[in-house]
Amino acid sequence: MSKNLVIVESPAKAKTIEGYLGKDFTVKSSYGHVRDLPKNDLAINIEKGFVPVYEITSDKQDVVRELKKLAQKAEVVWLATDEDREGEAISWHLLEALEIPLQKTKRIVFSEITKSAILKAIDNPRTLDIDLVNAQQARRVLDRLVGFELSPVLWKKVRPSLSAGRVQSVAVRIIVERERDIQGFKATSFYNIRAGFDLGTATLKADLSKKVNDGYGAREFLENCKGANFSISAIETKPSKRTPAAPFTTSTLQQEAGRKLGFSVSRTMVVAQRLYESGKITYMRTDSVNLSDFAMEACKKEIGNSFGDKYSKPRQFTNKSKGAQEAHEAIRPTDMSAHEIDGERDEMRLYELIWKRTIASQMADAELEKTTATIAISTMSDVLQAKGEVIKFDGFLKVYIESTDDEENEEGNSGMLPPLNVGQNLSLMDMIATQRFTQKPPRYSEASLVKRLEELGIGRPSTYAPTISTIQNREYVEKKDKEGVPRAFELLILKNNEIKVEEKAENTGAEKAKLFPTDIGTVVNDFLVDQFPNILDYGFTAKVESEFDDIAEGKLQWQEMMKRFYKPFHENVVVTIESAQRATGERELGTDPVTGKTVIARIGRFGPMIQIGASDDPDKKFASLRAEQSIGNITLEEALKLFELPRKLGEWDGEQIVVSVGRFGPYAKHGSTFASLKVKEGDDPYTIEFDRAKQLIEEKRAGVIANMLLSFPERPEVQVLNGRFGPYIKSGRDNYKIPKGKDPKSLTLEEIDTIIAEAPAKPSRGGRGSKKDAQKEKAPVKKAASKKSPAKKAPAKKAAKKSPKK
């Protein structure tokens, strides 16, 4: 047995480190956290100072047993988890769970997994930093208190099975408020004017530097240019420069990988983690833009070798984000001479991005020359301007150009201007006034949401990706594309002293991979903002993050922070449960012309829905919204159309073909056959015709016959089919697995009935579904056995170690 046991979080990290240490070291993985708060219990003793009661998670029992045996045999246990708060907490939990004497442990940290870094860490161990542990613990306890107490409020006042969280709810608020800005935006038009001049060997484009408010003003300007003389009145040339961006932090890496590579935030972090654990890059959770002296020297050498010494300009950057915490390095390659790596495609692409950003940050400024030619108009005092830009020395642009979130093509000049002289007369080819429109605020992408959270001081490098994943997984926000809509615009063209008007069309408003709030996300947000304004306040959330930083630096006791937060928060919860009205997001759309009853859109037990009739009307009717519809903007006409389903298209072989919308989307039904409509091919349940529905049903039956293993004439609803994942039993609309050892082709009806009877109970079908699902709103809801009221104290739990004390 080795004298030294090294424990890290992941097997990949363990494998890399093991290759750097000798036979006296055994490297093992804890596979992340080994202890946590129990899932279904508050597990925080509030009366005794918010002491958390941890347990070894069920999936880590075997891991802990193995590590405990190895730790008992080792002379020294090296805790080598990541250097941030989460890593420090994992080390502390290992210390407690494995019951290792403190004097037998050594804590080592490193920002890169290279042989030199690991050996240096071994030579310079430290003790566990309990302040970092407490900062992580404070976050965990506070988030548990908020989630455990707020969620039952939502179950009672909005809808069962909802959840709330301290940071996630604020992130949803940001997206909801942006959506409201967009919905309330009214575009106004204006005109840009551009002239083209014929120089014989070249064409010169020049713009009126101001916008013209309306078509009347644009026409008046063009009228005044009829017969005018145009000449160069001034030429101004100015040198300028561009400086490179700082090396990557977690948030800027997430933003740039989203823009340049199309990666989601979580995908970026998964790939970065693999690069770090294989020793290719430094630690990927950091808000530092610093580079070590070693890294700067390596960059200088590589720039000199690859591009020449004149391209080198070593520099350090200052962090501008709120609450930057750990004193890590920026994210950089561990070997600057490796321009690219072997590996999976995602790893290669992300590594190349990191290498380019790092090397560019240490390169010389780009030197440019900007030229502006002013063109006088003989008939008026207004002038036109032609602008050009020339790169005199490319500097860092040779390697890297930073992207932005607003990269729409703007009308303007670029490149070099043709040779011009002051006093030179110009011949007008044409002058065009183009109608343009003001732009609504853009919806957030994952990358721009990370940027906004960082600007507000909300969250930290370790929380951005989980927060954005959580709000999508809980269906408060959805990431989707939006098709543009056609829009007409006008061109006024002055040519040969005549003005012509042309009507053009453009596609506007198209968006890709943007974040949209769902109806339930909007209703939950409005309820929480109204009832818990502090928790949803941006400044308050940023202040909490700042207090976590103070705890990490030993400036604040975490229990004191909990005490100040919890009392007013808990009182707010109690008052809300007792007095707040239910939130449904109800919106009155108008009157049903057939019944004269009120039509409303609201959130129901099974999702967004339309209701005809008042709440106390025994004959009220319901219909679920379609996936692309929202209670916030659905019209009365669209709402009434939902009640046209199911539609009967006609008889075929003695039975009706019926079209409707169900749990899995729109479908056509004939007898016991259900065929999904192909929405992407243009099928619509409200417009599909008999022949098309019949074709879909025939295709479905042909597919079933091709995959049919067994059928039973006496029970036609029961079949044994060959599916994508192997043979299975189909009974009506339900599917059942065939137990191992059973031959699918020789099953009897009796055996099938036994398999169905012994199968696990099917979950209830909720969510956005058919009108039948929505009709369940009529039934009284039986009160579910709830978890403990948030006003009550959680029972004490055995086991477990308590929190560390200062």
Side-chain angles (χ1 to χ4, degrees):
M1 174 61 198
S2 302
K3 296 178 181 179
N4 299 278
L5 173 64
V6 181
I7 305 178
V8 297
E9 302 97 324
S10 76
K13 187 175 173 181
K15 184 179 179 182
T16 305
I17 292 174
E18 198 164 37
Y20 299 142
L21 299 174
K23 60 181 181 350
D24 287 339
F25 288 83
T26 297
V27 187
K28 290 291 180 180
S29 169
S30 69
Y31 297 86
H33 276 280
V34 295
R35 297 197 315 170
D36 198 2
L37 299 172
K39 283 187 178 179
N40 299 318
D41 190 5
L42 178 60
I44 297 167
N45 193 323
I46 295 167
E47 285 74 14
K48 290 189 178 180
F50 301 91
V51 176
V53 182
Y54 296 106
E55 67 176 13
I56 296 171
T57 54
S58 58
D59 60 328
K60 297 297 171 62
Q61 298 284 350
D62 292 341
V63 173
V64 169
R65 268 194 293 272
E66 182 195 4
L67 291 177
K68 188 179 281 190
K69 286 179 185 176
L70 294 172
Q72 287 169 350
K73 295 175 184 177
E75 293 179 11
V76 180
V77 178
W78 303 80
L79 301 172
T81 52
D82 292 338
E83 60 178 328
D84 59 5
R85 298 170 191 176
E86 204 70 28
E88 206 72 17
I90 291 174
S91 281
W92 177 75
H93 281 294
L94 283 166
L95 188 71
E96 297 286 304
L98 305 184
E99 299 174 339
I100 313 168
L102 192 59
Q103 63 272 20
K104 190 178 176 178
T105 65
K106 292 184 179 181
R107 174 79 171 110
I108 55 172
V109 294
F110 35 84
S111 62
E112 61 184 72
I113 305 177
T114 58
K115 186 171 184 177
S116 58
I118 300 303
L119 295 179
K120 184 178 178 181
I122 292 285
D123 290 338
N124 298 276
R126 63 167 173 81
T127 57
L128 202 70
D129 188 334
I130 210 66
D131 291 327
L132 289 181
V133 175
N134 283 335
Q136 187 275 343
Q137 184 162 234
R139 180 187 295 277
R140 186 74 184 92
V141 169
L142 184 61
D143 288 348
R144 169 58 66 96
L145 289 170
V146 170
F148 208 83
E149 298 212 2
L150 272 190
S151 296
V153 176
L154 296 179
W155 304 342
K156 188 171 183 180
K157 300 298 182 180
V158 184
R159 201 180 80 183
S161 303
L162 296 174
S163 67
R166 184 181 55 84
V167 176
Q168 76 176 53
S169 298
V170 175
V172 172
R173 180 181 181 181
I174 292 172
I175 293 166
V176 169
E177 289 184 346
R178 175 56 59 86
E179 190 66 25
R180 290 213 165 106
D181 289 343
I182 292 167
Q183 298 303 329
F185 180 81
K186 302 295 182 188
T188 57
S189 72
F190 59 90
Y191 286 75
N192 287 331
I193 294 178
R194 168 171 283 191
F197 297 97
D198 184 5
L199 302 183
T201 57
T203 300
L204 178 68
K205 297 289 185 181
D207 298 307
L208 182 67
S209 55
K210 66 180 183 181
K211 294 174 181 176
V212 181
N213 292 332
D214 51 36
Y216 175 80
R219 176 176 280 276
E220 183 180 32
F221 185 90
L222 265 57
E223 289 284 356
N224 289 335
C225 288
K226 283 183 178 179
N229 295 319
F230 300 88
S231 61
I232 305 291
S233 61
I235 298 174
E236 183 181 27
T237 300
K238 285 184 178 179
S240 67
K241 67 177 184 178
R242 288 177 63 181
T243 57
F248 281 131
T249 62
T250 301
S251 77
T252 55
L253 176 64
Q254 290 168 341
Q255 291 168 50
E256 197 74 338
R259 299 177 192 123
K260 285 193 183 311
L261 308 180
F263 284 10
S264 68
V265 168
S266 57
R267 181 179 173 188
T268 299
M269 295 312 292
V270 167
V271 177
Q273 178 104 20
R274 292 205 297 264
L275 290 173
Y276 166 67
E277 290 177 345
S278 60
K280 302 293 193 303
I281 64 170
T282 54
Y283 191 53
M284 66 288 157
R285 293 188 185 93
T286 176
D287 39 24
S288 170
V289 290
N290 293 326
L291 291 177
S292 66
D293 292 341
F294 168 80
M296 291 177 66
E297 188 59 38
C299 287
K300 182 179 179 181
K301 180 180 178 182
E302 190 54 36
I303 292 166
N305 290 340
S306 298
F307 310 108
D309 291 340
K310 68 177 181 177
Y311 279 90
S312 175
K313 185 180 178 181
R315 67 184 95 204
Q316 280 286 16
F317 293 83
T318 303
N319 203 306
K320 296 177 183 177
S321 67
K322 291 184 182 181
Q325 58 181 51
E326 279 76 41
H328 302 152
E329 268 196 272
I331 302 169
R332 63 166 176 83
T334 56
D335 178 5
M336 292 308 304
S337 66
H339 294 212
E340 53 190 40
I341 59 166
D342 293 327
E344 294 181 7
R345 183 168 181 267
D346 280 359
E347 293 172 7
M348 294 166 67
R349 294 172 72 204
L350 191 65
Y351 178 86
E352 182 184 28
L353 186 68
I354 294 168
W355 184 88
K356 286 182 174 180
R357 176 79 165 225
T358 306
I359 209 81
S361 75
Q362 301 302 302
M363 291 177 74
D365 297 338
E367 297 173 9
L368 303 97
E369 187 177 83
K370 292 186 176 181
T371 302
T372 302
T374 302
I375 300 169
I377 307 171
S378 63
T379 55
M380 65 181 86
S381 59
D382 287 320
V383 296
L384 302 171
Q385 288 189 329
K387 296 181 179 181
E389 184 177 85
V390 179
I391 297 174
K392 307 294 282 185
F393 173 62
D394 53 5
F396 76 93
L397 294 177
K398 196 174 191 72
V399 173
Y400 183 84
I401 301 175
E402 184 180 20
S403 300
T404 67
D405 290 315
D406 304 308
E407 295 192 322
E408 294 186 4
N409 292 325
E410 295 183 3
E411 294 180 357
N413 295 299
S414 61
M416 186 184 296
L417 292 180
L420 300 170
N421 299 304
V422 174
Q424 179 179 348
N425 292 320
L426 302 174
S427 173
L428 180 69
M429 295 167 53
D430 57 28
M431 185 177 288
I432 302 173
T434 305
Q435 185 182 21
R436 300 281 63 167
F437 299 86
T438 52
Q439 296 293 312
K440 65 187 177 185
R443 288 182 174 88
Y444 286 103
S445 63
E446 288 192 356
S448 61
L449 180 58
V450 167
K451 183 178 180 182
R452 184 61 180 148
L453 289 169
E454 186 177 40
E455 288 171 349
L456 292 169
I458 296 169
R460 288 297 181 262
S462 61
T463 65
Y464 297 136
T467 296
I468 291 172
S469 295
T470 296
I471 62 177
Q472 292 178 71
N473 293 339
R474 290 180 176 165
E475 298 183 352
Y476 290 156
V477 168
E478 56 186 344
K479 182 168 67 174
K480 61 182 182 180
D481 300 340
K482 180 177 180 290
E483 291 185 1
V485 294
R487 178 173 66 190
F489 68 97
E490 183 181 64
L491 294 179
L492 302 176
I493 304 169
L494 170 62
K495 192 168 185 177
N496 299 324
N497 281 331
E498 289 185 3
I499 297 175
K500 291 193 303 182
V501 180
E502 289 186 10
E503 291 287 335
K504 299 280 187 179
E506 62 185 351
N507 199 44
T508 183
E511 294 181 288
K512 187 172 178 61
K514 293 298 181 71
L515 300 174
F516 292 74
T518 61
D519 282 334
I520 191 63
T522 302
V523 171
V524 167
N525 171 75
D526 293 349
F527 177 80
L528 292 175
V529 169
D530 184 51
Q531 299 297 327
F532 298 90
N534 267 358
I535 297 296
L536 272 288
D537 180 73
Y538 300 143
F540 175 80
T541 308
K543 180 174 176 286
V544 169
E545 294 291 349
S546 179
E547 288 181 337
F548 290 151
D549 296 341
D550 289 341
I551 294 167
E553 294 168 13
K555 298 176 182 176
L556 178 64
Q557 289 287 334
W558 75 272
Q559 290 94 339
E560 284 301 313
M561 176 199 176
M562 291 298 123
K563 203 179 297 181
R564 287 202 306 268
F565 167 83
Y566 183 71
K567 188 173 184 293
F569 167 67
H570 181 69
E571 289 171 354
N572 195 354
V573 168
V574 173
V575 170
T576 302
I577 284 181
E578 291 174 353
S579 60
Q581 298 294 312
R582 279 187 62 83
T584 63
E586 187 172 302
R587 178 172 160 258
E588 189 171 314
L589 305 181
T591 304
D592 175 20
V594 177
T595 63
K597 295 179 180 181
T598 301
V599 181
I600 61 172
R602 68 180 180 88
I603 290 292
R605 188 179 176 196
F606 298 100
M609 54 175 284
I610 301 299
Q611 176 179 311
I612 297 180
S615 298
D616 57 357
D617 183 351
D619 297 320
K620 58 183 176 290
K621 295 192 295 182
F622 304 89
S624 294
L625 268 65
R626 300 171 69 177
E628 70 276 9
Q629 293 175 326
S630 166
I631 61 175
N633 54 29
I634 191 171
T635 64
L636 176 64
E637 182 183 5
E638 291 167 339
L640 292 174
K641 200 170 182 66
L642 295 172
F643 291 86
E644 294 177 5
L645 297 181
R647 287 175 61 219
K648 292 181 179 179
L649 303 186
E651 275 197 15
W652 174 34
D653 286 346
E655 291 195 70
Q656 280 282 347
I657 294 180
V658 178
V659 176
S660 191
V661 176
R663 182 187 178 200
F664 302 106
Y667 64 87
K669 177 180 179 292
H670 182 257
S672 61
T673 302
F674 290 81
S676 294
L677 270 57
K678 298 179 180 179
V679 178
K680 289 184 178 179
E681 295 179 18
D683 291 340
D684 187 312
Y686 295 94
T687 58
I688 191 171
E689 296 183 353
F690 178 89
D691 289 342
R692 172 59 176 162
K694 180 183 173 186
Q695 178 189 351
L696 292 172
I697 289 165
E698 287 174 331
E699 288 174 359
K700 178 65 181 285
R701 285 175 177 164
V704 169
I705 291 169
N707 292 314
M708 182 81 71
L709 298 179
L710 280 179
S711 63
F712 303 90
E714 66 273 33
R715 295 261 299 277
E717 77 279 6
V718 176
Q719 300 164 339
V720 179
L721 302 171
N722 200 11
R724 182 181 174 192
F725 302 105
Y728 66 96
I729 296 166
K730 181 177 178 64
S731 179
R733 297 196 70 187
D734 292 323
N735 300 330
Y736 300 90
K737 287 183 180 179
I738 297 174
K740 289 182 180 178
K742 294 278 186 182
D743 179 8
K745 293 182 179 179
S746 61
L747 287 171
T748 64
L749 262 178
E750 186 179 357
E751 288 175 313
I752 288 173
D753 286 338
T754 302
I755 291 169
I756 292 173
E758 294 176 352
K762 295 279 179 184
S764 60
R765 291 176 177 174
R768 229 174 237 207
S770 64
K771 191 189 302 182
K772 181 180 175 184
D773 287 335
Q775 293 282 7
K776 293 177 185 175
E777 287 289 327
K778 291 182 180 179
V781 180
K782 187 184 286 185
K783 189 171 182 180
S786 64
K787 296 179 184 177
K788 287 173 285 299
S789 164
K792 294 179 183 177
K793 180 180 122 181
K797 194 168 179 80
K798 278 188 178 179
K801 299 277 182 180
K802 297 182 179 178
S803 64
K805 290 187 179 176
K806 188 73 170 128

